[in-house]
RNA sequence: GCCCCCGUGGCGGAAUUGGUAGACGCGCCUGACUCAAAAUCAGGUUCCUCACGGAGUGUUGGUUCGAGUCCGACCGGGGGUACCA
């Protein structure tokens, strides 16, 4: 036997990539006769180089794409670039390179890197969101939404990121800090563009239940973010100390059942009534200013004491004639939620209790635990927030909380002093950004006409190239000429809007654009879009559970409302993959070290440069700051794309974090080599392709055939269920079985070829280059990428003999081999003569014997 | 605080509907090959015990002929979210 050649992945991977490219194997064309399958991974931001997170994401998507393709689906698997964004501007400031140049150079680099992974992508559909041919349609859609009342400008308190010098949407503030910079956000009152995402709050919440192929976790996060709560709005008459009418106060509450326990009213410091009073009250003005200073960071909020400022007003209780209560401005009342005003019920709310205790306000219990004597029940020390029975509340006494809510709301409505309402936590999407490298907002400010849309004929509003980044702030704003345009309505000099769109708009419809990427006259062709959409399988990081995934659901509905599509949801199936982690290393001086800077010998780890000891830290998400990054380029160069892909899929379930280890990679690499060797050795024995099937097989060959056909069924099910690690384990098993198979006669050799062919087809989605190579060596002229997925023979999926466990009182005593579906009596008889069982029985007679066919016999004494 | 998820060998992780716990891989050990090493190949590898056997899926209690899986309480880890009235 000749020594098998070593597998040259360099040459092989490049060769097959070239073949796929030249034959345009993965080009997608609409074909109504075939079922479509749209596989999409979240497109990358062109930051410079791909990282391991990309490799994991795109490997998973590629497995699905290639698998579905083999199963006969017309697969669309495109790739593009989320190309607008702040890093390009930061690069411009630091490296004096234009954002456009920087972005396109990064795209070029990353495209080469992605191509080296051997992904089954249709590159002819590549798009970049910074291309005017893309964003012109975005501008047009925005104008349509504006026209339909889904976009508006409003002055409001907004989140300002002081590092990026721009406003942020609510979703982009994480624990009081900017999502990109981590800087504590400031509150500013500004006039900004908003999209009316709240218009769809209820629909988006309701439809979550129908997204069966989304992770439960993501649906839950979105539901919490939308935050629907039922309650009531209640109107309180305000008077001053003399009893003179001072208007009405509207509050929101989810606990109208506790209205009889009210002891004060509190307004947000930003409430209009407070603002008005502050004009003539310097003390109040100081209080409001003080509240504004307190940050919104989680730690600050938690420790901040509840403080109030008593206003010269009294509120009349809507249900208790003659009862009035004090009115405060209070720092814990938010202007953005409800009506910016509350009533305080200290007996049944933590915050109100703290506030009332501090200011000596009455604390009256109006709900008591069901089995407690109401007279003995006190909430002086702590509020009672659980369900119970209403007390001290006139017509509500004796009711449960839910009944009381319904009863009091109908009473309030009868009296005309309140109404039942639904409140959402979700707020409208603030989309203007005071930045250059984004899609210009197509609007013109005119002194006479107000804010005017840019006419269709003037679209796209293109970014000017000649901008400077020598100063902070928005380069568009200080551009000498760009913003000076005439009003399209009256022709007088106007001013162009210099804000650009939040880049999350760019990514809210790119999946639609992929269905007709070159179309100039519209964002997409209706028929193409109707054929390909929705995305059947979307894959990306869970960090977008709210941001991108919520915005995309909104944009899809907005397009529907302006009659562009008839679709409600963009993504039929969603999978969120885990992060790629790596150990961290620190030198004695505390400096982080890269994996290349260290050397490992058994348990000891030292620094390569000077052999000094290195402290090994826990595995964390790969990040530049901790230096625990491994460059995919390097891995692909040293081990090949197939090895990187195989390792990404083995071991860890795809939704969980994966720890990247050098040992794991070399293990994956050795397996590629071993496979090549197993196949090469076997190839010398097997009959040529197309040899007809023998009439019968020896037992060993039947066992091999069973193993191969079971692998088909198992791997298929595993891929469908995103259990790639289990599919990998099955493939190892099949490889081991093939490796140890001795093909003595012709039927056995035929079975060996069959098993090899099945194996090669099963690894096709995972290690496509090696599989394509072996497929060719097996004597096939056509591409594996164009071949159908193997079909298992049903007869080979079931065994004719099964191993049945025999237990004594539930403890395993041994196993017996029985024909499949043997009668219970036969199983029992076979078990009862087992020596291991008899020894355990010690002569006792069985009280009961439980037989589960094909599984277990349990003897009970 | 509230909501959700997860605790299985030295490690990553398997285990349809409750039915032989530890598949598969990594690591480690032994042996073969080699002057030697690497690579490769063969065997072993949950723990205790020489063995027979026993124990074992975070802890603890329960349901069941039988529990990693179901139920209760607790401990630990992770994620989401929050003065949301």
């Amino acid at each position: 036997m000749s020594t098998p050649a070593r597998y040259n992945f360099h040459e092989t991977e490049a060769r097959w990539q070239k073949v796929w490219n030249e034959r345009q194997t993965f080009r997608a064309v609409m074909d109504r006769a075939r079922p479509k399958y749209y596989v999409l991974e979240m497109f990358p931001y062109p930051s410079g180089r791909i990282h391991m997170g990309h490799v994991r994401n795109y490997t998973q998507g590629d497995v699905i794409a290639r698998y579905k393709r083999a199963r006969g689906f017309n697969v669309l698997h495109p790739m593009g670039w989320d190309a607008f964004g702040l890093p390009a501007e930061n690069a411009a400031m630091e490296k004096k390179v234009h954002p456009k140049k920087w972005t396109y150079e990064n795209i070029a680099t990353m495209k080469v890197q992605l191509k080296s992974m051997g992904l089954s992508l249709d590159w002819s559909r590549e798009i970049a969101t910074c291309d005017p041919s893309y964003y012109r349609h975005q501008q047009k859609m925005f104008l349509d939404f504006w026209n339909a009342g889904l976009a508006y400008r409003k002055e409001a308190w907004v989140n300002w990121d002081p590092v990026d010098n721009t406003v942020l949407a609510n979703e982009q503030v994480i624990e009081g800090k900017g999502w990109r910079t981590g800087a504590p956000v400031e509150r500013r009152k500004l006039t900004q563009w908003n999209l009316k995402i709240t218009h769809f709050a209820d629909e988006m919440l309701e439809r979550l239940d129908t997204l069966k192929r989304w992770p439960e976790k993501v649906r839950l996060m979105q539901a919490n973010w939308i935050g629907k709560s039922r309650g009531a709005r209640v109107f309180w008459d305000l008077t001053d100390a003399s009893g003179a009418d001072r208007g009405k106060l509207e509050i929101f509450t989810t606990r109208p059942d506790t209205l009889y326990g009210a002891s004060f009213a509190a307004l947000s410091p930003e409430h209009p009534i407070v603002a008005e009073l502050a004009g003539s009250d310097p003390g109040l003005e100081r209080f409001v200013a003080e509240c504004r200073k307190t940050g919104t960071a989680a730690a600050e909020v938690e420790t901040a004491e509840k403080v109030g400022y008593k206003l010269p007003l009294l509120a009349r209780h809507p249900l208790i004639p003659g009862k009035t209560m004090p009115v405060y401005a209070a720092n814990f009342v938010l202007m953005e939620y409800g009506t910016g005003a509350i009533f305080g019920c200290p007996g049944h709310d933590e915050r109100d209790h703290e506030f009332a205790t501090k200011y000596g306000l009455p604390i009256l219990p109006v709900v008591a635990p069901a089995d407690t004597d109401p007279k003995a029940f006190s909430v002086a020390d702590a509020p009672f927030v659980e369900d119970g029975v209403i007390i001290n509340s006139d017509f509500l006494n004796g009711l449960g909380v839910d009944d009381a809510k319904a009863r009091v709301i109908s009473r309030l409505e009868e009296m005309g002093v309140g109404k039942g309402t639904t409140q959402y936590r979700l707020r409208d999407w603030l989309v203007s950004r005071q930045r250059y490298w984004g899609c210009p907002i197509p609007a013109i400010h005119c002194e006479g006409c107000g804010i005017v849309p840019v006419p269709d004929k003037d679209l796209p509003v293109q970014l000017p190239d000649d901008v400077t980044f020598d100063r902070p702030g928005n380069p568009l704003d200080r551009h000498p000429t760009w913003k000076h345009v005439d009003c399209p309505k009256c022709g007088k000099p106007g001013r162009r809007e210099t804000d650009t769109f939040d880049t999350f708009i760019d990514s809210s419809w790119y999946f639609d654009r992929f269905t007709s990427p070159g179309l100039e006259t519209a964002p997409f062709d209706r028929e193409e879009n109707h054929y390909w959409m929705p995305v059947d399988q979307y894959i990306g990081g869970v960090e977008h559970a709210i941001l991108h995934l919520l915005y995309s659901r909104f944009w899809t509905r907005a397009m529907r409302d302006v009659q562009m599509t008839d679709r409600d949801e963009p993504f039929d199936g969603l999978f969120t993959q885990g992060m790629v982690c790596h150990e961290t290393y620190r030198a004695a001086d505390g400096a982080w070290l890269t994996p290349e800077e260290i050397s490992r010998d058994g348990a000891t780890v030292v620094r390569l440069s000077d052999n000094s000891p290195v402290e090994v830290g826990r595995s964390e998400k790969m990040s530049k700051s901790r230096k625990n990054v491994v460059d995919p380029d390097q891995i692909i160069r040293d081990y090949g794309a197939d090895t990187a892909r195989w390792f990404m899929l083995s071991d860890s379930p795809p939704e969980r974090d994966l720890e990247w280890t050098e040992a794991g990679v070399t293990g994956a690499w050795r397996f590629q080599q071993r496979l090549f060797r197993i196949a090469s050795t076997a190839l010398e024995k097997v009959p040529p392709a197309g040899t007809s099937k023998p009439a019968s097989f020896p037992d060993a060959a039947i066992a091999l055939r069973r193993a191969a056909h079971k692998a088909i069924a198992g791997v298929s099910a595993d891929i469908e269920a995103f259990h790639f690690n289990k599919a990998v384990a099955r493939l190892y098993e099949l490889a081991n079985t093939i490796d140890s198979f001795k093909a003595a006669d012709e039927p056995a050799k035929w079975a060996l070829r069959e098993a090899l062919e099945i194996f090669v087809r099963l690894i096709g989605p995972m290690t496509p280059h090696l599989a394509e190579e072996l497929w060719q060596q097996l004597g096939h002229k056509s591409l594996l990428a164009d071949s159908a997925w193997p079909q298992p023979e049903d007869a080979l999926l079931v065994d004719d003999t099964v191993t049945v466990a025999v237990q004594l009182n539930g403890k395993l005593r041994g196993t017996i081999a029985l024909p499949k579906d043997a009668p219970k009596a036969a199983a029992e008889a076979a078990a009862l003569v087992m020596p291991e069982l008899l020894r355990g029985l010690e002569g006792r007679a069985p009280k009961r014997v439980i037989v589960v066919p094909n599984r277990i016999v349990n003897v009970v004494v």
Side-chain angles (χ1 to χ4, degrees):
Chain A
M1 196 196 305
S2 61
T3 311
R6 229 168 140 80
Y7 175 52
N8 182 345
F9 62 83
H10 266 132
E11 184 274 326
T12 309
E13 292 188 348
R15 178 155 42 81
W16 288 113
Q17 283 167 18
K18 190 159 170 266
V19 170
W20 294 329
N21 186 43
E22 282 171 358
R23 299 200 194 174
Q24 301 204 20
T25 304
F26 305 115
R27 187 152 196 172
V29 178
M30 179 166 74
D31 177 0
R32 286 202 185 78
R34 293 170 62 206
K36 65 92 183 182
Y37 202 89
Y38 188 172
V39 185
L40 185 67
E41 300 96 54
M42 290 180 185
F43 67 162
Y45 176 77
S47 56
R49 304 181 64 77
I50 63 167
H51 54 68
M52 282 298 179
H54 293 129
V55 176
R56 194 177 192 200
N57 192 179
Y58 303 145
T59 298
Q60 292 178 2
D62 203 45
V63 169
I64 299 294
R66 285 177 181 267
Y67 169 77
K68 288 291 178 183
R69 181 183 163 77
R71 294 231 83 150
F73 287 92
N74 189 18
V75 169
L76 172 59
H77 188 209
M79 183 55 74
W81 309 95
D82 189 12
F84 272 137
L86 262 165
E89 284 186 69
N90 292 338
M93 283 184 266
E94 285 161 25
K95 298 172 190 159
K96 314 280 179 235
V97 53
H98 194 279
K100 186 192 266 182
K101 185 167 187 284
W102 184 83
T103 301
Y104 277 101
E105 282 174 0
N106 288 347
I107 287 175
T109 306
M110 291 172 74
K111 189 171 172 180
V112 171
Q113 291 185 301
L114 285 185
K115 286 200 160 187
S116 75
M117 281 181 65
L119 302 167
S120 63
L121 292 166
D122 178 358
W123 281 104
S124 73
R125 291 177 186 256
E126 179 183 3
I127 56 173
T129 57
C130 62
D131 189 327
S133 71
Y134 180 82
Y135 68 67
R136 68 175 300 153
H137 304 294
Q138 189 164 300
Q139 291 174 337
K140 175 69 170 70
M141 280 188 277
F142 172 78
L143 294 176
D144 290 344
F145 296 170
W146 186 3
N147 201 30
L150 291 168
Y152 63 93
R153 259 167 81 80
K154 188 182 82 172
E155 183 181 45
W157 288 95
V158 297
N159 308 298
W160 176 266
D161 187 318
V163 173
D164 279 349
N165 284 307
T166 182
V167 298
L168 295 174
N170 259 330
E171 289 78 11
Q172 291 151 16
V173 179
I174 315 289
E175 294 189 342
K177 293 169 182 163
W179 71 295
R180 270 185 21 84
T181 63
V185 298
E186 294 166 6
R187 314 269 297 143
R188 288 198 183 181
K189 197 165 198 176
L190 294 169
T191 304
Q192 298 286 307
W193 287 98
N194 292 271
L195 289 175
K196 216 167 180 177
I197 191 166
T198 55
H199 179 65
F200 301 109
D202 204 50
E203 191 201 332
M204 296 207 301
L205 182 68
E206 294 297 315
R207 280 291 253 119
L208 282 175
D209 286 341
T210 69
L211 299 175
K212 303 286 186 211
R213 291 179 54 236
W214 279 43
E216 183 62 38
K217 181 185 175 178
V218 174
R219 289 190 279 168
L220 199 75
M221 282 165 72
Q222 291 212 354
N224 287 339
W225 188 262
I226 293 168
K228 181 178 185 173
S229 40
R230 299 200 170 282
R233 294 195 169 211
V234 186
F235 304 103
W236 304 59
D237 289 328
L238 295 176
T239 66
D240 60 20
S242 66
D245 180 31
R246 294 294 305 267
K248 280 187 190 299
L249 174 67
E250 185 180 3
I251 63 99
F252 173 74
T253 178
T254 56
R255 293 295 305 272
D257 54 305
T258 64
L259 261 173
Y260 281 90
S263 60
F264 66 95
L267 310 185
S268 165
E270 287 158 5
H271 196 282
I273 291 176
V274 175
E276 192 194 323
L277 291 169
S280 55
D281 182 348
L284 180 56
E285 199 170 1
R286 270 197 303 278
F287 175 80
V288 170
E290 201 59 36
C291 290
R292 195 167 302 152
K293 253 191 244 165
T294 320
T296 44
E300 280 180 81
V301 165
E302 232 155 75
T303 53
E305 201 187 348
K306 299 196 182 0
V307 288
Y309 187 95
K310 196 166 179 179
L311 302 176
L313 295 170
L314 289 171
R316 283 211 183 108
H317 196 288
L319 296 174
I320 310 173
K323 176 165 179 174
T324 61
M325 56 190 72
V327 182
Y328 290 83
N331 65 342
F332 66 95
V333 183
L334 305 176
M335 193 59 222
E336 303 86 15
Y337 187 75
T339 59
I342 61 159
F343 79 88
C345 178
H348 306 280
D349 182 277
E350 300 273 359
R351 294 152 304 178
D352 298 349
H353 193 275
E354 185 186 331
F355 191 82
T357 306
K358 178 167 178 176
Y359 292 101
L361 298 162
I363 301 174
L364 177 72
V366 289
V367 187
D371 47 1
T372 311
D373 174 15
K375 294 192 185 72
F377 185 63
S378 166
V379 285
D381 296 330
F384 175 70
V385 296
E386 280 147 67
D387 209 347
V389 178
I390 305 295
I391 56 171
N392 298 327
S393 298
D394 193 11
F395 68 102
L396 299 175
N397 285 339
L399 293 174
V401 166
D402 287 341
D403 288 342
K405 280 180 186 171
R407 185 78 68 88
V408 76
I409 286 171
S410 56
R411 175 69 62 96
L412 290 168
E413 286 174 353
E414 281 164 27
M415 295 169 66
V417 292
K419 58 173 195 272
T421 54
T422 302
Q423 181 69 38
Y424 296 91
R425 212 185 70 108
L426 183 72
R427 268 162 261 160
D428 278 339
W429 177 13
L430 196 164
V431 294
S432 24
R433 297 290 180 272
Q434 291 68 48
R435 305 300 318 189
Y436 165 72
W437 193 234
C439 171
I441 299 177
I444 292 163
H445 301 263
C446 170
E447 289 231 336
C449 309
I451 183 107
V452 182
V454 171
D456 281 5
K457 66 174 176 56
D458 294 337
L459 293 182
V461 177
Q462 288 207 47
L463 285 175
D465 285 338
D466 53 336
V467 285
T468 54
F469 295 93
D470 50 351
R471 281 171 288 161
N474 184 353
L476 288 178
D477 210 27
R478 58 171 182 263
H479 188 280
T481 55
W482 188 75
K483 69 178 170 187
H484 301 299
V485 286
D486 291 340
C487 171
K489 248 189 195 166
C490 66
K492 289 182 190 153
R495 182 177 56 80
R496 199 182 278 292
E497 172 65 65
T498 56
D499 284 357
T500 51
F501 282 129
D502 180 4
T503 56
F504 277 100
I505 288 188
D506 310 341
S507 54
S508 290
W509 69 283
Y510 77 103
F511 36 86
D512 282 298
R513 182 64 178 170
F514 275 136
T515 65
S516 22
L519 191 67
E520 288 179 16
T521 51
F524 45 78
D525 176 82
R526 268 180 183 266
E527 286 187 40
E528 290 271 359
N529 192 260
H530 192 261
Y531 175 76
W532 291 113
M533 284 294 285
V535 174
D536 294 280
Q537 186 62 61
Y538 199 31
I539 308 173
V542 74
E543 67 272 17
H544 287 112
I546 293 169
L547 291 159
H548 161 58
L549 291 168
L550 194 72
Y551 295 147
S552 298
R553 295 184 69 215
F554 159 75
W555 196 275
T556 296
R557 284 172 169 76
M559 289 195 301
R560 180 198 62 194
D561 279 17
V562 297
Q563 277 82 48
M564 290 177 65
T565 72
D566 52 8
R567 190 179 315 106
D568 300 333
E569 293 286 346
F571 311 123
D572 194 42
L574 172 71
F575 187 86
T576 52
Q577 107 261 11
M579 299 182 297
V580 181
C581 300
H582 196 282
E583 279 183 334
T584 49
Y585 308 105
R586 293 188 102 151
D589 61 2
W592 298 102
L593 300 174
T594 67
E596 287 93 58
E597 289 175 299
I598 61 112
S599 165
R600 178 186 288 276
D601 180 24
T604 56
V605 177
V606 295
R607 189 176 190 159
L608 267 178
S609 56
D610 57 4
N611 270 340
S612 62
V614 167
E615 192 196 333
V616 179
R618 71 184 185 99
S619 188
E620 293 180 58
K621 181 186 181 180
M622 286 188 181
S623 73
K624 281 180 192 159
S625 62
R626 303 215 190 276
K627 291 200 176 178
N628 61 338
V629 287
V630 175
D631 181 17
D633 245 9
Q634 180 91 35
I635 297 297
I636 290 171
R637 210 176 310 130
D638 294 350
Y639 299 98
D642 283 343
T643 293
R645 295 169 60 121
W646 185 258
F647 177 61
M648 282 292 180
L649 297 166
S650 52
D651 290 350
S652 291
E655 70 278 10
R656 273 198 233 171
D657 290 352
L658 171 133
E659 186 178 355
W660 184 273
T661 61
E662 192 66 15
V665 182
T666 52
W669 183 81
R670 278 203 301 271
F671 184 62
Q672 306 299 304
Q673 294 291 341
R674 180 166 164 242
L675 274 189
F676 187 75
R677 205 171 46 246
I678 291 171
S680 304
T681 311
L683 272 167
E684 295 174 10
K685 302 177 199 154
V686 302
T691 304
S692 59
K693 185 179 172 183
S696 67
F697 293 93
D699 284 353
I702 292 173
L704 177 68
R705 296 196 69 216
R706 280 192 199 287
H709 285 257
K710 281 183 182 173
I712 300 174
V715 169
S716 306
D718 288 337
I719 291 178
E720 302 264 5
F722 270 82
H723 293 159
F724 303 132
N725 56 323
K726 285 161 70 180
V728 164
R730 278 185 216 276
L731 289 166
Y732 271 112
E733 277 179 289
L734 181 56
N736 293 341
T737 306
I738 291 174
D739 195 20
S740 56
F741 182 71
K742 308 272 186 295
D745 51 22
E746 287 311 309
K749 286 178 182 170
W750 189 93
L752 179 59
R753 163 173 275 276
E754 182 194 32
L756 265 182
E757 296 219 348
I758 287 172
F759 186 84
V760 167
R761 287 195 280 180
L762 294 184
I763 62 169
M766 305 181 182
T767 56
H769 310 89
L770 176 61
E772 198 74 76
E773 180 73 6
L774 294 176
W775 186 249
Q776 190 193 41
Q777 290 191 10
L778 277 161
H780 295 283
K781 298 280 177 275
S782 62
L783 289 180
L784 176 66
D786 289 329
S787 304
W789 194 247
Q791 281 292 324
E793 287 178 25
D794 289 344
L796 292 168
L797 295 179
V798 286
D799 294 306
D800 36 25
T801 307
V802 292
T803 307
V804 172
V806 178
Q807 298 180 333
L808 176 61
N809 289 335
K811 280 191 199 280
L812 184 70
R813 285 291 136 174
T815 58
I816 47 174
L818 290 172
K820 185 173 162 56
D821 298 328
K824 282 191 177 190
E828 182 173 337
L832 287 174
V833 296
M834 259 181 69
E836 298 95 322
L837 183 76
L838 293 173
R839 209 183 304 138
L841 276 173
E842 293 171 326
R844 290 171 293 179
K847 275 191 203 142
R848 199 178 152 189
V849 180
I850 288 137
V851 180
V852 180
N854 301 326
R855 288 220 180 251
I856 211 159
V857 178
N858 189 12
V859 180
V860 184
V861 292

